[in-house]
Amino acid sequence: MALPYIIPDDELDLNLGILLLIIASIGETARKRLVINNEIAHIFFFLVKNPALLNKFLYELEKPGLPLLPTEAFSVASLSTDDAVYYDRKSMRFLLSSLTQRKLIEIVYLPQKGFYYKASELGMETTSKLDSAYFQRTKDFIDHLKKVQSISLKNMINVINRILKSELE
């Protein structure tokens, strides 16, 4: 009997952990301004999962990047970004609804702005337990994303599209 081949990047609990860390770490500013909506969650998740692209993104915005490990900088995934993931909004909705159902995040409606996400108390407790080497490295990536919280969504999208386009050329 053959065992199924599971792609670790697609593992549900791993992706829920990454998204929860993003929302818990940068979902609110120090002044309690909510930051993470569907689009921002999707962009930040995509960037955290693609560290080489994250560094290019930070560089384009004139923000300092971070030193990448050889496996992050020279893997097949880093040298050839799967942009299909960037355009897959359905998976992000599924991850957000899964975190909501598990009561790890809360949804807040802001009139004239829409829906935003922040970590619940249970979500904050859960993130403190995500302490493996992989999640520690993920937290490093997220810390660098804090530097772009003030960048407009439109500008973020333009920068990512420019980077993806340049990779195709």
Side-chain angles (χ1 to χ4, degrees):
M1 168 166 57
L3 294 174
Y5 178 73
I6 298 172
I7 300 171
D9 275 355
D10 294 338
E11 206 278 318
L12 178 63
D13 290 328
L14 173 76
N15 288 324
L16 290 174
I18 293 168
L19 185 56
L20 180 59
L21 281 172
I22 292 169
I23 293 170
S25 300
I26 51 182
E28 285 185 277
T29 65
R31 294 183 176 169
K32 301 291 183 196
R33 183 180 66 86
L34 296 176
V35 175
I36 306 288
N37 60 16
N38 284 359
E39 293 82 11
I40 299 291
H42 188 77
I43 288 171
F44 284 1
F45 183 78
F46 178 69
L47 291 170
V48 166
K49 298 266 298 203
N50 294 283
L53 190 77
L54 171 60
N55 261 358
K56 291 176 187 176
F57 178 78
L58 292 168
Y59 176 76
E60 285 281 326
L61 294 170
E62 299 177 357
K63 306 289 183 186
L66 70 160
L68 296 179
L69 303 172
T71 55
E72 297 162 345
F74 302 111
S75 68
V76 172
S78 68
L79 296 174
S80 175
T81 305
D82 181 8
D83 65 345
V85 175
Y86 176 62
Y87 299 107
D88 181 12
R89 303 286 192 240
K90 186 177 179 182
S91 295
M92 179 53 56
R93 284 193 303 268
F94 176 76
L95 292 173
L96 287 167
S97 69
S98 295
L99 288 173
T100 304
Q101 289 172 350
R102 296 171 188 212
K103 304 204 181 321
L104 296 171
I105 62 171
E106 298 171 359
I107 302 171
V108 178
Y109 176 73
L110 300 177
Q112 301 182 3
K113 285 193 169 193
F115 294 97
Y116 284 78
Y117 304 96
K118 67 178 190 173
S120 66
E121 198 171 305
L122 178 60
M124 294 305 280
E125 287 175 28
T126 303
T127 59
S128 68
K129 296 174 186 170
L130 299 175
D131 57 1
S132 69
Y134 180 85
F135 284 120
Q136 290 302 321
R137 186 66 177 156
T138 300
K139 289 175 186 178
D140 293 340
F141 300 144
I142 294 168
D143 285 342
H144 277 74
L145 280 173
K146 289 178 182 177
K147 299 170 185 170
V148 299
Q149 278 180 309
S150 62
I151 306 294
S152 73
L153 175 62
K154 183 178 179 180
N155 196 15
M156 285 187 210
I157 291 170
N158 287 338
V159 170
I160 291 175
N161 287 340
R162 195 167 48 246
I163 293 168
L164 292 176
K165 184 179 178 185
S166 72
E167 288 190 356
L168 293 175
E169 295 175 345

